[in-house]
Amino acid sequence: MASYSSRVRGDIERWAASGLIDASTAATLRRDVEASDRRSLSFGSVLAMMAALLFGAAILIFVAANWEAIPRLARVCALFAVIFVGYVGGAVVKSRGHPAIGEALWIVAAAAFGGGIALVGQMYHLAGDESSAVLTWCAGTALAAAALRSNPLTVAAAGIADGWLVMSLVGGFRLFAETAFPHLFVAVAVALFVLSYWTRSVVTRHLILLSLIAYAGLFAMDHDVLQVSFALAAVSVALFAAAVLAPEPVEGIARLGGRLPLHALIGFLTGMAMIQFTFADETGTGGGFAAASAVALAGIAAAVVLAGRESRGLRWIAYLGFAFELVVIYLVTMQSMLGTAGFFLTAAIILAILAFAIIRIERRWAAPVAKGA
C-alpha cells in the first residue's frame, strides 16, 4: 500500500494535469510534501530507536545482575555518566541535524535513570517499594520529555505508566493497600495527555486512550462489571457522537488526526463485550444477553454508517467487532441452534433493511451534486 506522501504526490500530479492548480502551486506543494517526508521516521530512525531500546534493556539487566565486584561509588557514577551523556549528548547531536540519534540517546538516558533508581535503592536499602520506584521513573522521564520537548520520551513515559498499572494488578503490589485499585493511573494518564500537547506526541494520546480503556476493563473485573461496563459504553457513545456531530471543535481539542471515533468504538465494543459475558454466565441465553448483543450490533452498524467513510481503521475495527459478535453469539447460544438461527435471521433482516435505506438516502444526497457537476 502506498504511503501518504506517495498518494499526495499522485494527487498533485493529477490536479496539475487537470488544470485545478497551476505549475507554481504544484511545485510548492511538492516541496512541502518532500520536507514533511524528510521529517518523518525513516528506516534508519527506526533502527536507531530499536538500538536505543536494546541498549537501555542491557543497562537495566546489567544493573539487575547486582555487580558486586564494582565499588558502589563507581556504579553510581557510571550510571549518572550515562544519564548525563545521554541527555546532553542527545541534545547536541539533535541540534546538529541528527534528530533520530539524539532521540535514541535520550531513550538510553531514560533507561539509565530507571536503572539508577533500582541500583541506589538496592545498594542502600532505601525505604519504599517497586510501585514508588516505577512512578518515580515515569515522573523523571516525563519531566525530561517536557524539558526537551521530546516525542519519544513522552511515549516512553506513557509506556512506563502502563507497565506500572500492569505490575500493580499482576505483579502483586498495590499503591496504598493490598486491596486498593491503582486509581492514580487516571491522574498520571491525564497529566501525560496534557504533556503530549507540548511535545506534539499524537502517538502518546492514542496510547493513553487505549490504556484508559484497558484500565476501565480491569476496574470492571475488580469492582462491578455491569456498572463500569455500562459507564464505559455510555462514555464511548458520547465521545463518538461528539466527534461525529462536531468534528472540528472536538478534533481541535483531541488532536488525534480524526481518530477519536475509532477509540470510542473500541471502548464501546469493550464495554458491551463485558456486559455480554456477564449475562452469558448468569442467564445463558436469557434476554439480557440478546439485548446486549443487539445493541452491540446496532452500534457497529451505526459507527460504520456515521464515520466509516472517513476512517479505514474504524471500518476494520467494526468488521472485527462484527465477527467477534457472531462468534460470541454462536458460542453462547449453540445449545439452541434454532434460537441462534433465529437471532441471526432477525439481525440479517434488520441489517438488510438498514442497508437498503442507507443506499437510498446516499443516492438522494449524491443526485443534486451530480446534477450540478
Side-chain angles (χ1 to χ4, degrees):
M1 185 172 58
S3 64
Y4 171 75
S5 58
S6 299
R7 294 197 302 270
V8 172
R9 290 190 186 96
D11 290 337
I12 293 172
E13 298 298 332
R14 178 170 52 84
W15 296 335
S18 61
L20 295 176
I21 57 176
D22 54 27
S24 61
T25 303
T28 302
L29 291 175
R30 290 191 200 97
R31 287 194 297 270
D32 182 73
V33 171
E34 290 174 0
S36 178
D37 199 26
R38 285 195 297 269
R39 289 193 298 268
S40 63
L41 280 178
S42 63
F43 183 66
S45 302
V46 174
L47 290 180
M49 280 300 165
M50 292 175 65
L53 292 174
L54 291 174
F55 192 76
I59 292 175
L60 295 178
I61 295 173
F62 189 57
V63 170
N66 195 11
W67 22 302
E68 297 291 343
I70 304 175
R72 290 184 176 181
L73 183 60
R75 303 177 206 171
V76 176
C77 291
L79 277 174
F80 274 99
V82 173
I83 295 172
F84 179 81
V85 172
Y87 282 130
V88 177
V92 173
V93 170
K94 187 173 182 179
S95 65
R96 295 184 177 180
H98 302 283
I101 299 177
E103 297 280 4
L105 289 174
W106 290 346
I107 294 294
V108 172
F113 176 71
I117 294 173
L119 177 63
V120 172
Q122 177 193 34
M123 288 192 308
Y124 298 101
H125 306 287
L126 299 179
D129 55 12
E130 296 90 341
S131 175
S132 301
V134 175
L135 283 178
T136 303
W137 186 15
C138 176
T141 305
L143 182 62
L148 299 170
R149 205 169 188 177
S150 170
N151 186 327
L153 283 178
T154 312
V155 177
I160 296 170
D162 291 340
W164 172 79
L165 175 65
V166 174
M167 292 170 66
S168 298
L169 300 174
V170 179
F173 64 82
R174 297 290 181 90
L175 184 60
F176 301 110
E178 186 64 26
T179 58
F181 194 84
H183 295 297
L184 182 61
F185 177 78
V186 177
V188 175
V190 172
L192 292 175
F193 199 93
V194 173
L195 174 63
S196 69
Y197 292 121
W198 168 249
T199 59
R200 300 184 296 272
S201 180
V202 180
V203 176
T204 300
R205 292 194 282 277
H206 287 297
L207 179 60
I208 289 174
L209 288 179
L210 294 175
S211 302
L212 288 174
I213 294 172
Y215 165 85
L218 295 171
F219 181 56
M221 291 185 289
D222 185 81
H223 180 63
D224 187 294
V225 175
L226 283 180
Q227 289 184 4
V228 179
S229 300
F230 274 123
L232 174 61
V235 171
S236 299
V237 170
L239 289 175
F240 186 92
V244 171
L245 298 177
E248 293 185 2
V250 171
E251 176 59 25
I253 297 174
R255 300 181 192 176
L256 291 167
R259 293 182 177 87
L260 181 60
L262 188 149
H263 291 286
L265 178 59
I266 294 175
F268 171 77
L269 293 175
T270 302
M272 295 308 301
M274 290 189 294
I275 293 172
Q276 288 175 282
F277 287 132
T278 301
F279 282 122
D281 291 338
E282 293 179 357
T283 62
T285 58
F289 176 81
S293 301
V295 170
L297 291 174
I300 292 171
V304 174
V305 170
L306 296 174
R309 179 180 296 179
E310 291 78 13
S311 175
R312 180 180 298 178
L314 185 141
R315 292 198 300 271
W316 277 107
I317 294 297
Y319 299 152
L320 292 175
F322 185 77
F324 173 80
E325 289 297 326
L326 294 182
V327 172
V328 169
I329 292 169
Y330 174 75
L331 292 177
V332 172
T333 62
M334 64 182 177
Q335 65 267 24
S336 174
M337 290 297 185
L338 185 59
T340 305
F343 185 88
F344 283 166
L345 178 61
T346 303
I349 293 173
I350 293 174
L351 289 177
I353 294 173
L354 286 174
F356 178 77
I358 291 168
I359 290 172
R360 293 295 300 272
I361 293 172
E362 288 179 346
R363 286 179 179 175
R364 287 174 179 257
W365 286 346
V369 176
K371 187 184 239 181

